[in-house]
Amino acid sequence: MQWFATDPLLSSDHGLDRGLQFGEALFETMLLRDGRLPLLEFHLDRLQRGCEQLSLPMPDVAGIESELRPHCQEPGRWVIKLIYSAGPGGRGYGRPDFLRPQLYIGKAPAPERHSGPLRLLLCEIYLAQQPQLAGIKHGNRLEQVLARREVDAAGCDEGLLLDSEGRVIEAVAANLFVVRAGKLLTPSLDLCGVDGVMRRAIMTLAQGQGLSVHVDDLTVADIESADEVFLSNSLQGIRSAEALLKAGSGSTMVGHWAPGPVAAQLGHLLEDRGWV
Amino acid sequence: MQWFATDPLLSSDHGLDRGLQFGEALFETMLLRDGRLPLLEFHLDRLQRGCEQLSLPMPDVAGIESELRPHCQEPGRWVIKLIYSAGPGGRGYGRPDFLRPQLYIGKAPAPERHSGPLRLLLCEIYLAQQPQLAGIKHGNRLEQVLARREVDAAGCDEGLLLDSEGRVIEAVAANLFVVRAGKLLTPSLDLCGVDGVMRRAIMTLAQGQGLSVHVDDLTVADIESADEVFLSNSLQGIRSAEALLKAGSGSTMVGHWAPGPVAAQLGHLLEDRGWV
């Protein structure tokens, strides 16, 4: 990924970026498709909610858009990653009197879209419950880094993350949906997890189709017995899951599903809108 | 704070430091006193435990010491901050095949040693329970940044942090000790909190003095009824607390203590050893 920053990180005498010191940053990972950022408004909206939760100054949305523009001219599929950090300075955890947030823009070819259903690992690391950080896409992501290592070690495609009380929350880099008795269900993100942009888009689309959509607590048993299980994120859209595996001696399979009609229907709608 | 890095952050095509992207880093804040780093071994030991917990390659301790040496020649009291990050690269949360960890060294005059006992705020934000990250000094510190904002807003000196189940864990940038019936007690850090270098040093010193030292679960009521309450960290050594305040209408005082003999005795021992 090639990176651009509004200010070189170590150029000033003001100090090292608090993003690097404390993970004091927000980020957005966006799909760039033929010069368009399909869900840019949703991304900037989440960025603003993140700023409120972290008491960071609101980013200048017009300024961000004009910083993004020169990187969005090429045709094809790209990933644009935007990091909005608290910038340099301060003594320890205390912020400096005047924050100078920094904007970093990264660009890389989009990953290949995953073909075929996913094998999910039931991760051992759980998501800690922290309502003051839940929902937003902040820069404290060690849990996801460790979870991704578990997934790679088990040879799976993605991982299912529970919280400390056994509630299913999300995947490592995607949100989770299940279909049960014709209803679309997705976990509550009040205590942990990231409120994905594609999750919001899918909930809106599904409601528009007259589907019954519920945010609810889900257990592993609920997932195992679901009619359909699929993941969502901004780069890949919707991906159906076919199996849930538990690590250990020989990786036991604890859930199995066939790709179903709801995921297919919503996937087509996303394509039609040009959102994936 | 003036910063030095083994590699400039944005110099390579390999990408932006994962410390900035995900808080994937460890750090140590050390006192430099007249050319000596008094508890360097304890700091490097914790750094190594952090590497094990995060599956980062062990840092080359001799290499770190030689990087530190040129910054340690001046007399006087300084803070040396060392950040050991996962370095650049990887796609999303997945690490690159070859990690190139980065070492950042920051140096600044040490803060004035706080004279007089501290007023502590009972913080509203709690520490999330995450045993896979507990104890080590990692770069995911948004909870501490938000807690420090609470402390500043209330006009207090430091803050007392509980976990989600109401156990007292530590202060924002210090560990906590209480004295009760002649025993020295400090909270367990199995689920959250930072295993402070000065905490370890104090426990060792206290045991050497024949004091009974216990790691235990403590509630706010235990703190309120303690004979002595004091905080410890590498820069300030021991600081006694005089009051615990609850934010809200007019800041209610919920605990009050006089500086006591145990804190004074241990403080003298730290001075004698040249550890503060």
Side-chain angles (χ1 to χ4, degrees), chain B residues 233-250:
Chain B
N233 74 16
S234 294
L235 299 183
Q236 307 267 359
I238 284 176
R239 290 171 297 166
S240 288
E242 65 170 2
L244 178 63
L245 291 102
K246 217 168 173 168
S249 50

Side-chain angles (χ1 to χ4, degrees), chain B residues 71-89:
Chain B
H71 308 294
C72 296
Q73 305 303 322
E74 274 162 290
R77 292 173 64 85
W78 303 83
V79 185
I80 296 282
K81 185 165 174 180
L82 192 149
I83 299 179
Y84 181 73
S85 79

Side-chain angles (χ1 to χ4, degrees), chain A:
Chain A
M1 186 167 267
Q2 200 184 349
W3 284 91
F4 313 89
T6 46
D7 243 4
L9 253 175
L10 284 169
S11 71
S12 78
D13 294 334
H14 296 278
L16 199 59
D17 198 303
R18 297 171 63 83
L20 180 62
Q21 293 196 67
F22 309 123
E24 195 177 346
L26 298 160
F27 68 105
E28 294 293 331
T29 306
M30 303 184 276
L31 177 68
L32 169 65
R33 186 183 157 172
D34 296 325
R36 285 187 317 107
L37 294 161
L39 293 166
L40 179 62
E41 270 175 57
F42 285 65
H43 286 289
L44 293 179
D45 178 59
R46 179 172 60 189
L47 189 65
Q48 288 197 311
R49 278 182 279 131
C51 288
E52 280 165 29
Q53 251 170 284
L54 299 187
S55 298
L56 286 173
M58 285 292 166
D60 165 17
V61 167
I64 289 182
E65 286 176 344
S66 80
E67 292 278 350
L68 284 171
R69 210 163 295 130
H71 308 295
C72 297
Q73 304 303 322
E74 274 162 290
R77 291 174 64 85
W78 302 84
V79 185
I80 297 282
K81 185 166 174 179
L82 193 150
I83 299 178
Y84 181 73
S85 79
R91 229 193 48 66
Y93 300 127
R95 286 180 178 160
D97 293 334
F98 296 97
L99 274 188
R100 301 190 306 130
Q102 295 291 300
L103 189 67
Y104 301 88
I105 295 171
K107 184 178 180 181
E112 288 294 308
R113 290 184 70 184
H114 196 280
S115 60
L118 304 175
R119 290 157 60 85
L120 308 181
L121 177 74
L122 186 58
C123 290
E124 286 191 12
I125 191 170
Y126 64 69
L127 295 175
Q129 296 178 346
Q130 178 49 272
Q132 289 210 37
L133 298 175
I136 61 174
K137 197 147 181 167
H138 57 71
N140 278 198
R141 291 292 158 208
L142 280 172
E143 290 177 341
Q144 282 71 24
V145 170
L146 295 179
R148 183 68 229 179
R149 282 182 66 80
E150 285 189 41
V151 171
D152 289 340
C156 288
D157 303 307
E158 246 285 12
L160 202 67
L161 288 163
L162 315 184
D163 72 3
S164 55
E165 291 174 5
R167 277 184 285 255
V168 177
I169 304 296
E170 61 187 1
V172 180
N175 287 111
L176 175 83
F177 286 92
V178 305
V179 179
R180 209 169 54 191
K183 285 180 187 166
L184 190 61
L185 305 168
T186 189
S188 159
L189 305 172
D190 291 343
L191 293 176
C192 44
V194 175
D195 185 359
V197 157
M198 187 54 76
R199 174 179 180 267
R200 292 222 167 182
I202 288 169
M203 289 169 79
T204 308
L205 277 185
Q207 278 158 344
Q209 296 295 304
L211 251 165
S212 165
V213 183
H214 300 267
V215 173
D216 208 350
D217 285 349
L218 295 171
T219 64
V220 173
D222 292 330
I223 305 295
E224 287 169 8
S225 64
D227 300 324
E228 291 182 44
V229 174
F230 63 88
L231 305 187
S232 69
N233 76 15
S234 294
L235 299 183
Q236 306 267 358
I238 284 176
R239 290 171 296 168
S240 288
E242 65 170 3
L244 178 63
L245 292 100
K246 216 167 173 170
S249 49
S251 298
T252 328
M253 192 177 296
V254 293
H256 188 274
W257 318 274
V262 175
Q265 182 196 358
L266 292 168
H268 287 308
L269 284 169
L270 289 178
E271 297 276 358
D272 291 348
R273 307 262 168 140
W275 288 356
V276 288

